[in-house]
CSV table of all heavy atoms in Angstrom, one decimal:
chain,number,residue,atom,x,y,z
A,78,HIS,N,-70.7,-42.9,52.2
A,78,HIS,CA,-72.0,-42.9,51.7
A,78,HIS,C,-73.1,-43.1,52.8
A,78,HIS,O,-74.2,-42.9,52.6
A,78,HIS,CB,-72.1,-44.0,50.7
A,78,HIS,CG,-71.2,-43.8,49.5
A,78,HIS,ND1,-70.1,-44.6,49.3
A,78,HIS,CD2,-71.2,-42.9,48.5
A,78,HIS,CE1,-69.4,-44.2,48.2
A,78,HIS,NE2,-70.1,-43.2,47.6
A,79,ARG,N,-72.7,-43.7,54.0
A,79,ARG,CA,-73.6,-44.0,55.0
A,79,ARG,C,-73.9,-42.8,55.9
A,79,ARG,O,-74.6,-42.9,56.9
A,79,ARG,CB,-73.1,-45.2,55.8
A,79,ARG,CG,-72.9,-46.4,55.0
A,79,ARG,CD,-72.4,-47.5,56.0
A,79,ARG,NE,-72.1,-48.8,55.3
A,79,ARG,CZ,-73.0,-49.7,55.1
A,79,ARG,NH1,-74.3,-49.6,55.5
A,79,ARG,NH2,-72.8,-50.8,54.4
A,80,TRP,N,-73.3,-41.7,55.5
A,80,TRP,CA,-73.5,-40.5,56.4
A,80,TRP,C,-74.7,-39.7,56.0
A,80,TRP,O,-74.9,-38.6,56.6
A,80,TRP,CB,-72.3,-39.5,56.2
A,80,TRP,CG,-71.0,-40.2,56.7
A,80,TRP,CD1,-70.9,-41.4,57.3
A,80,TRP,CD2,-69.7,-39.6,56.6
A,80,TRP,NE1,-69.6,-41.6,57.7
A,80,TRP,CE2,-68.8,-40.6,57.2
A,80,TRP,CE3,-69.2,-38.5,56.1
A,80,TRP,CZ2,-67.4,-40.5,57.2
A,80,TRP,CZ3,-67.8,-38.3,56.1
A,80,TRP,CH2,-66.9,-39.2,56.7
A,81,GLU,N,-75.6,-40.1,55.1
A,81,GLU,CA,-76.7,-39.3,54.7
A,81,GLU,C,-77.9,-39.3,55.6
A,81,GLU,O,-78.8,-38.5,55.5
A,81,GLU,CB,-77.1,-39.7,53.2
A,81,GLU,CG,-76.0,-39.4,52.2
A,81,GLU,CD,-76.5,-39.7,50.8
A,81,GLU,OE1,-77.3,-40.6,50.7
A,81,GLU,OE2,-76.1,-39.1,49.8
A,82,GLY,N,-78.0,-40.3,56.5
A,82,GLY,CA,-79.1,-40.5,57.3
A,82,GLY,C,-79.2,-39.5,58.5
A,82,GLY,O,-78.2,-38.9,58.9
A,83,ARG,N,-80.5,-39.2,58.9
A,83,ARG,CA,-80.7,-38.4,60.0
A,83,ARG,C,-80.1,-38.9,61.3
A,83,ARG,O,-79.7,-38.2,62.2
A,83,ARG,CB,-82.2,-38.1,60.2
A,83,ARG,CG,-82.8,-37.3,59.0
A,83,ARG,CD,-84.3,-37.0,59.3
A,83,ARG,NE,-84.8,-36.3,58.2
A,83,ARG,CZ,-86.1,-35.9,58.2
A,83,ARG,NH1,-86.9,-36.1,59.2
A,83,ARG,NH2,-86.6,-35.1,57.1
A,84,GLY,N,-80.1,-40.2,61.4
A,84,GLY,CA,-79.6,-40.9,62.6
A,84,GLY,C,-78.1,-40.6,62.7
A,84,GLY,O,-77.6,-40.3,63.8
A,85,PHE,N,-77.4,-40.6,61.6
A,85,PHE,CA,-75.9,-40.3,61.7
A,85,PHE,C,-75.8,-38.8,62.2
A,85,PHE,O,-74.9,-38.5,63.0
A,85,PHE,CB,-75.3,-40.4,60.3
A,85,PHE,CG,-73.9,-39.8,60.2
A,85,PHE,CD1,-72.9,-40.5,60.6
A,85,PHE,CD2,-73.8,-38.6,59.6
A,85,PHE,CE1,-71.6,-40.0,60.5
A,85,PHE,CE2,-72.5,-38.0,59.5
A,85,PHE,CZ,-71.3,-38.8,59.9
A,86,ARG,N,-76.5,-37.9,61.6
A,86,ARG,CA,-76.4,-36.5,62.0
A,86,ARG,C,-76.7,-36.3,63.5
A,86,ARG,O,-76.0,-35.5,64.2
A,86,ARG,CB,-77.3,-35.6,61.2
A,86,ARG,CG,-76.9,-35.6,59.7
A,86,ARG,CD,-77.6,-34.4,59.0
A,86,ARG,NE,-79.0,-34.6,58.8
A,86,ARG,CZ,-79.6,-35.2,57.8
A,86,ARG,NH1,-78.8,-35.9,56.9
A,86,ARG,NH2,-80.9,-35.3,57.7
A,87,LEU,N,-77.7,-37.0,64.0
A,87,LEU,CA,-78.1,-36.8,65.4
A,87,LEU,C,-77.0,-37.3,66.3
A,87,LEU,O,-76.6,-36.6,67.3
A,87,LEU,CB,-79.4,-37.6,65.7
A,87,LEU,CG,-79.9,-37.5,67.1
A,87,LEU,CD1,-80.1,-36.1,67.6
A,87,LEU,CD2,-81.1,-38.4,67.3
A,88,VAL,N,-76.4,-38.5,66.0
A,88,VAL,CA,-75.4,-39.0,66.8
A,88,VAL,C,-74.1,-38.1,66.7
A,88,VAL,O,-73.5,-37.9,67.8
A,88,VAL,CB,-75.0,-40.4,66.3
A,88,VAL,CG1,-73.8,-41.0,67.0
A,88,VAL,CG2,-76.2,-41.4,66.7
A,89,LEU,N,-73.8,-37.7,65.6
A,89,LEU,CA,-72.6,-36.8,65.4
A,89,LEU,C,-72.8,-35.5,66.1
A,89,LEU,O,-71.8,-35.0,66.8
A,89,LEU,CB,-72.3,-36.6,63.9
A,89,LEU,CG,-71.0,-36.0,63.6
A,89,LEU,CD1,-69.9,-36.9,64.0
A,89,LEU,CD2,-71.0,-35.7,62.1
A,90,LEU,N,-74.0,-34.9,66.1
A,90,LEU,CA,-74.2,-33.7,66.7
A,90,LEU,C,-74.1,-33.8,68.3
A,90,LEU,O,-73.5,-33.1,69.0
A,90,LEU,CB,-75.5,-33.1,66.4
A,90,LEU,CG,-76.0,-31.8,67.0
A,90,LEU,CD1,-75.0,-30.6,66.7
A,90,LEU,CD2,-77.3,-31.3,66.6
A,91,LEU,N,-74.7,-34.9,68.8
A,91,LEU,CA,-74.6,-35.2,70.2
A,91,LEU,C,-73.2,-35.4,70.7
A,91,LEU,O,-72.8,-34.9,71.7
A,91,LEU,CB,-75.5,-36.3,70.6
A,91,LEU,CG,-77.0,-36.1,70.6
A,91,LEU,CD1,-77.8,-37.4,70.8
A,91,LEU,CD2,-77.5,-35.1,71.5
A,92,ALA,N,-72.4,-36.1,69.9
A,92,ALA,CA,-71.1,-36.4,70.2
A,92,ALA,C,-70.2,-35.1,70.3
A,92,ALA,O,-69.4,-34.9,71.2
A,92,ALA,CB,-70.5,-37.4,69.2
A,93,MET,N,-70.4,-34.2,69.3
A,93,MET,CA,-69.7,-32.9,69.3
A,93,MET,C,-70.0,-32.1,70.5
A,93,MET,O,-69.1,-31.6,71.2
A,93,MET,CB,-70.0,-32.1,68.0
A,93,MET,CG,-69.4,-32.7,66.7
A,93,MET,SD,-69.7,-31.6,65.3
A,93,MET,CE,-71.4,-31.7,65.0
A,94,VAL,N,-71.3,-32.0,70.8
A,94,VAL,CA,-71.7,-31.2,72.0
A,94,VAL,C,-71.2,-31.8,73.3
A,94,VAL,O,-70.6,-31.1,74.2
A,94,VAL,CB,-73.2,-31.1,72.1
A,94,VAL,CG1,-73.7,-30.4,73.4
A,94,VAL,CG2,-73.7,-30.3,70.8
A,95,VAL,N,-71.3,-33.1,73.5
A,95,VAL,CA,-70.9,-33.7,74.7
A,95,VAL,C,-69.4,-33.6,74.9
A,95,VAL,O,-68.9,-33.2,76.0
A,95,VAL,CB,-71.2,-35.2,74.7
A,95,VAL,CG1,-70.6,-36.0,75.8
A,95,VAL,CG2,-72.8,-35.4,74.8
A,96,VAL,N,-68.6,-33.9,73.9
A,96,VAL,CA,-67.2,-33.8,74.0
A,96,VAL,C,-66.7,-32.4,74.2
A,96,VAL,O,-65.8,-32.1,75.1
A,96,VAL,CB,-66.4,-34.4,72.8
A,96,VAL,CG1,-66.5,-33.5,71.6
A,96,VAL,CG2,-65.0,-34.8,73.1
A,97,LEU,N,-67.3,-31.4,73.7
A,97,LEU,CA,-66.9,-30.0,73.9
A,97,LEU,C,-67.3,-29.5,75.3
A,97,LEU,O,-66.5,-28.8,76.0
A,97,LEU,CB,-67.5,-29.1,72.9
A,97,LEU,CG,-66.9,-29.2,71.5
A,97,LEU,CD1,-67.7,-28.3,70.5
A,97,LEU,CD2,-65.5,-28.8,71.4
A,98,VAL,N,-68.5,-29.9,75.7
A,98,VAL,CA,-68.9,-29.7,77.2
A,98,VAL,C,-68.0,-30.3,78.2
A,98,VAL,O,-67.5,-29.7,79.2
A,98,VAL,CB,-70.4,-30.0,77.4
A,98,VAL,CG1,-70.7,-29.9,78.9
A,98,VAL,CG2,-71.3,-29.2,76.6
A,99,LEU,N,-67.6,-31.5,78.0
A,99,LEU,CA,-66.7,-32.2,78.9
A,99,LEU,C,-65.3,-31.5,78.8
A,99,LEU,O,-64.6,-31.5,79.9
A,99,LEU,CB,-66.5,-33.7,78.4
A,99,LEU,CG,-67.7,-34.7,78.7
A,99,LEU,CD1,-67.4,-36.0,78.1
A,99,LEU,CD2,-68.0,-34.7,80.1
A,100,THR,N,-64.9,-31.1,77.7
A,100,THR,CA,-63.6,-30.3,77.7
A,100,THR,C,-63.7,-29.1,78.4
A,100,THR,O,-62.7,-28.7,79.2
A,100,THR,CB,-63.3,-30.0,76.2
A,100,THR,OG1,-63.2,-31.2,75.4
A,100,THR,CG2,-61.9,-29.3,76.1
A,101,LEU,N,-64.8,-28.3,78.4
A,101,LEU,CA,-64.9,-27.1,79.2
A,101,LEU,C,-65.0,-27.4,80.7
A,101,LEU,O,-64.6,-26.6,81.5
A,101,LEU,CB,-66.2,-26.3,78.7
A,101,LEU,CG,-66.1,-25.7,77.3
A,101,LEU,CD1,-67.4,-25.2,76.9
A,101,LEU,CD2,-65.0,-24.6,77.3
A,102,THR,N,-65.6,-28.5,81.0
A,102,THR,CA,-65.8,-28.8,82.5
A,102,THR,C,-64.6,-29.7,83.2
A,102,THR,O,-64.3,-29.4,84.2
A,102,THR,CB,-67.1,-29.5,82.7
A,102,THR,OG1,-67.2,-30.7,81.9
A,102,THR,CG2,-68.3,-28.5,82.3
A,103,LEU,N,-64.2,-30.6,82.4
A,103,LEU,CA,-63.2,-31.5,82.9
A,103,LEU,C,-61.8,-31.5,82.3
A,103,LEU,O,-61.0,-32.2,82.7
A,103,LEU,CB,-63.8,-33.0,82.8
A,103,LEU,CG,-65.1,-33.2,83.5
A,103,LEU,CD1,-65.5,-34.7,83.2
A,103,LEU,CD2,-65.1,-33.0,84.9
A,104,GLY,N,-61.7,-30.6,81.3
A,104,GLY,CA,-60.5,-30.6,80.6
A,104,GLY,C,-59.3,-30.1,81.3
A,104,GLY,O,-59.4,-29.4,82.3
A,105,ASN,N,-58.1,-30.4,80.8
A,105,ASN,CA,-56.8,-29.9,81.5
A,105,ASN,C,-56.7,-28.5,81.3
A,105,ASN,O,-56.9,-28.0,80.2
A,105,ASN,CB,-55.6,-30.7,80.9
A,105,ASN,CG,-55.8,-32.2,80.9
A,105,ASN,OD1,-56.4,-32.7,81.9
A,105,ASN,ND2,-55.3,-32.9,79.9
A,106,VAL,N,-56.2,-27.8,82.3
A,106,VAL,CA,-56.1,-26.3,82.2
A,106,VAL,C,-54.6,-26.1,81.8
A,106,VAL,O,-53.7,-26.5,82.4
A,106,VAL,CB,-56.3,-25.7,83.5
A,106,VAL,CG1,-56.1,-24.2,83.4
A,106,VAL,CG2,-57.8,-25.9,84.0
A,107,TRP,N,-54.4,-25.3,80.7
A,107,TRP,CA,-53.1,-24.9,80.3
A,107,TRP,C,-53.2,-23.4,80.1
A,107,TRP,O,-53.8,-22.8,79.3
A,107,TRP,CB,-52.7,-25.5,79.0
A,107,TRP,CG,-51.5,-25.0,78.4
A,107,TRP,CD1,-51.3,-24.1,77.3
A,107,TRP,CD2,-50.2,-25.2,78.8
A,107,TRP,NE1,-50.0,-23.8,77.0
A,107,TRP,CE2,-49.3,-24.5,77.9
A,107,TRP,CE3,-49.6,-26.0,79.8
A,107,TRP,CZ2,-47.9,-24.5,78.1
A,107,TRP,CZ3,-48.2,-26.0,79.9
A,107,TRP,CH2,-47.4,-25.2,79.1
A,108,LEU,N,-52.4,-22.7,81.1
A,108,LEU,CA,-52.5,-21.2,81.2
A,108,LEU,C,-54.0,-20.8,81.5
A,108,LEU,O,-54.5,-21.1,82.6
A,108,LEU,CB,-52.0,-20.5,80.0
A,108,LEU,CG,-50.5,-20.8,79.7
A,108,LEU,CD1,-50.0,-20.1,78.4
A,108,LEU,CD2,-49.7,-20.5,80.8
A,109,VAL,N,-54.7,-20.3,80.5
A,109,VAL,CA,-56.1,-19.8,80.8
A,109,VAL,C,-57.1,-20.6,79.9
A,109,VAL,O,-58.2,-20.2,79.7
A,109,VAL,CB,-56.3,-18.3,80.5
A,109,VAL,CG1,-55.5,-17.5,81.6
A,109,VAL,CG2,-55.9,-18.0,79.1
A,110,THR,N,-56.6,-21.7,79.3
A,110,THR,CA,-57.4,-22.5,78.4
A,110,THR,C,-57.7,-23.9,78.9
A,110,THR,O,-57.0,-24.4,79.6
A,110,THR,CB,-56.8,-22.5,77.0
A,110,THR,OG1,-55.6,-23.3,77.0
A,110,THR,CG2,-56.5,-21.2,76.4
A,111,ARG,N,-58.9,-24.4,78.4
A,111,ARG,CA,-59.3,-25.8,78.6
A,111,ARG,C,-59.5,-26.4,77.2
A,111,ARG,O,-60.5,-26.2,76.7
A,111,ARG,CB,-60.5,-26.0,79.4
A,111,ARG,CG,-60.3,-25.6,80.9
A,111,ARG,CD,-61.5,-25.9,81.7
A,111,ARG,NE,-61.5,-25.6,83.1
A,111,ARG,CZ,-61.2,-26.5,84.1
A,111,ARG,NH1,-60.9,-27.7,83.7
A,111,ARG,NH2,-61.0,-26.1,85.2
A,112,ARG,N,-58.5,-27.0,76.7
A,112,ARG,CA,-58.6,-27.5,75.3
A,112,ARG,C,-58.4,-29.0,75.2
A,112,ARG,O,-58.6,-29.6,74.2
A,112,ARG,CB,-57.6,-26.8,74.4
A,112,ARG,CG,-57.7,-25.3,74.3
A,112,ARG,CD,-56.8,-24.7,73.4
A,112,ARG,NE,-56.8,-23.3,73.3
A,112,ARG,CZ,-56.0,-22.5,72.5
A,112,ARG,NH1,-55.2,-23.0,71.7
A,112,ARG,NH2,-56.2,-21.2,72.6
A,113,ALA,N,-57.9,-29.7,76.3
A,113,ALA,CA,-57.5,-31.1,76.2
A,113,ALA,C,-58.3,-31.9,77.2
A,113,ALA,O,-58.5,-31.5,78.3
A,113,ALA,CB,-56.1,-31.2,76.4
A,114,LEU,N,-58.6,-33.2,76.7
A,114,LEU,CA,-59.2,-34.2,77.6
A,114,LEU,C,-58.1,-35.3,77.6
A,114,LEU,O,-58.0,-36.0,76.6
A,114,LEU,CB,-60.5,-34.8,77.1
A,114,LEU,CG,-61.8,-34.0,77.4
A,114,LEU,CD1,-62.9,-34.6,76.7
A,114,LEU,CD2,-62.0,-33.9,78.9
A,115,GLY,N,-57.3,-35.3,78.7
A,115,GLY,CA,-56.2,-36.2,78.7
A,115,GLY,C,-55.2,-35.8,77.7
A,115,GLY,O,-54.6,-34.7,77.8
A,116,PHE,N,-54.8,-36.7,76.7
A,116,PHE,CA,-53.8,-36.3,75.7
A,116,PHE,C,-54.5,-35.9,74.4
A,116,PHE,O,-53.8,-35.7,73.4
A,116,PHE,CB,-52.9,-37.5,75.5
A,116,PHE,CG,-53.6,-38.8,75.1
A,116,PHE,CD1,-53.8,-39.1,73.8
A,116,PHE,CD2,-54.0,-39.7,76.0
A,116,PHE,CE1,-54.5,-40.2,73.3
A,116,PHE,CE2,-54.7,-40.8,75.6
A,116,PHE,CZ,-54.9,-41.1,74.3
A,117,LEU,N,-55.8,-35.8,74.4
A,117,LEU,CA,-56.5,-35.4,73.2
A,117,LEU,C,-57.0,-34.0,73.2
A,117,LEU,O,-57.4,-33.5,74.3
A,117,LEU,CB,-57.6,-36.4,72.8
A,117,LEU,CG,-57.3,-37.8,72.4
A,117,LEU,CD1,-58.6,-38.6,72.2
A,117,LEU,CD2,-56.5,-37.9,71.1
A,118,GLN,N,-57.0,-33.3,72.1
A,118,GLN,CA,-57.6,-32.0,71.9
A,118,GLN,C,-58.9,-32.2,71.1
A,118,GLN,O,-58.8,-32.3,69.8
A,118,GLN,CB,-56.7,-31.0,71.3
A,118,GLN,CG,-55.6,-30.6,72.2
A,118,GLN,CD,-54.7,-29.5,71.6
A,118,GLN,OE1,-55.0,-28.9,70.6
A,118,GLN,NE2,-53.6,-29.1,72.3
A,119,PRO,N,-60.0,-32.4,71.7
A,119,PRO,CA,-61.3,-32.7,70.9
A,119,PRO,C,-61.6,-31.8,69.8
A,119,PRO,O,-62.2,-32.2,68.8
A,119,PRO,CB,-62.3,-32.8,72.0
A,119,PRO,CG,-61.6,-33.1,73.3
A,119,PRO,CD,-60.3,-32.4,73.1
A,120,ALA,N,-61.3,-30.5,70.0
A,120,ALA,CA,-61.6,-29.5,69.0
A,120,ALA,C,-61.0,-29.8,67.6
A,120,ALA,O,-61.6,-29.5,66.6
A,120,ALA,CB,-61.3,-28.1,69.4
A,121,GLU,N,-59.9,-30.4,67.6
A,121,GLU,CA,-59.2,-30.9,66.4
A,121,GLU,C,-60.0,-31.8,65.5
A,121,GLU,O,-60.0,-31.8,64.3
A,121,GLU,CB,-57.8,-31.4,66.6
A,121,GLU,CG,-56.8,-30.4,67.3
A,121,GLU,CD,-56.5,-29.2,66.4
A,121,GLU,OE1,-56.7,-29.4,65.1
A,121,GLU,OE2,-56.0,-28.3,66.9
A,122,PHE,N,-60.8,-32.7,66.2
A,122,PHE,CA,-61.6,-33.7,65.5
A,122,PHE,C,-63.0,-33.1,65.3
A,122,PHE,O,-63.6,-33.4,64.3
A,122,PHE,CB,-61.8,-34.9,66.4
A,122,PHE,CG,-60.4,-35.7,66.6
A,122,PHE,CD1,-59.6,-35.4,67.6
A,122,PHE,CD2,-60.0,-36.6,65.7
A,122,PHE,CE1,-58.4,-36.1,67.8
A,122,PHE,CE2,-58.8,-37.3,65.8
A,122,PHE,CZ,-58.0,-37.0,66.9
A,123,VAL,N,-63.5,-32.2,66.2
A,123,VAL,CA,-64.8,-31.6,66.1
A,123,VAL,C,-64.9,-30.8,64.8
A,123,VAL,O,-65.9,-30.7,64.1
A,123,VAL,CB,-65.1,-30.8,67.3
A,123,VAL,CG1,-66.4,-29.9,67.1
A,123,VAL,CG2,-65.3,-31.7,68.5
A,124,LYS,N,-63.8,-30.1,64.4
A,124,LYS,CA,-63.9,-29.2,63.2
A,124,LYS,C,-64.2,-30.0,62.0
A,124,LYS,O,-64.8,-29.5,61.1
A,124,LYS,CB,-62.6,-28.4,63.1
A,124,LYS,CG,-61.3,-29.2,62.8
A,124,LYS,CD,-60.2,-28.2,62.5
A,124,LYS,CE,-58.9,-29.0,62.1
A,124,LYS,NZ,-58.3,-29.6,63.3
A,125,TYR,N,-63.7,-31.3,61.9
A,125,TYR,CA,-64.1,-32.1,60.8
A,125,TYR,C,-65.5,-32.7,60.9
A,125,TYR,O,-66.2,-32.9,60.0
A,125,TYR,CB,-63.0,-33.2,60.5
A,125,TYR,CG,-61.7,-32.6,60.0
A,125,TYR,CD1,-60.6,-32.7,60.9
A,125,TYR,CD2,-61.6,-32.0,58.9
A,125,TYR,CE1,-59.4,-32.1,60.4
A,125,TYR,CE2,-60.4,-31.5,58.3
A,125,TYR,CZ,-59.2,-31.5,59.2
A,125,TYR,OH,-58.1,-31.0,58.7
Side-chain angles (χ1 to χ4, degrees):
H78 299 108
R79 298 180 181 273
W80 297 354
E81 292 183 334
R83 294 184 180 181
F85 169 82
R86 292 196 293 274
L87 178 60
V88 171
L89 192 60
L90 180 58
L91 288 176
M93 288 189 289
V94 172
V95 168
V96 75
L97 289 176
V98 171
L99 287 177
T100 303
L101 290 172
T102 55
L103 303 177
N105 305 328
V106 178
W107 173 253
L108 296 178
V109 295
T110 66
R111 286 183 182 268
R112 300 185 185 180
L114 278 175
F116 57 89
L117 290 177
Q118 293 187 5
E121 297 294 342
F122 296 91
V123 168
K124 68 175 182 282
Y125 290 114

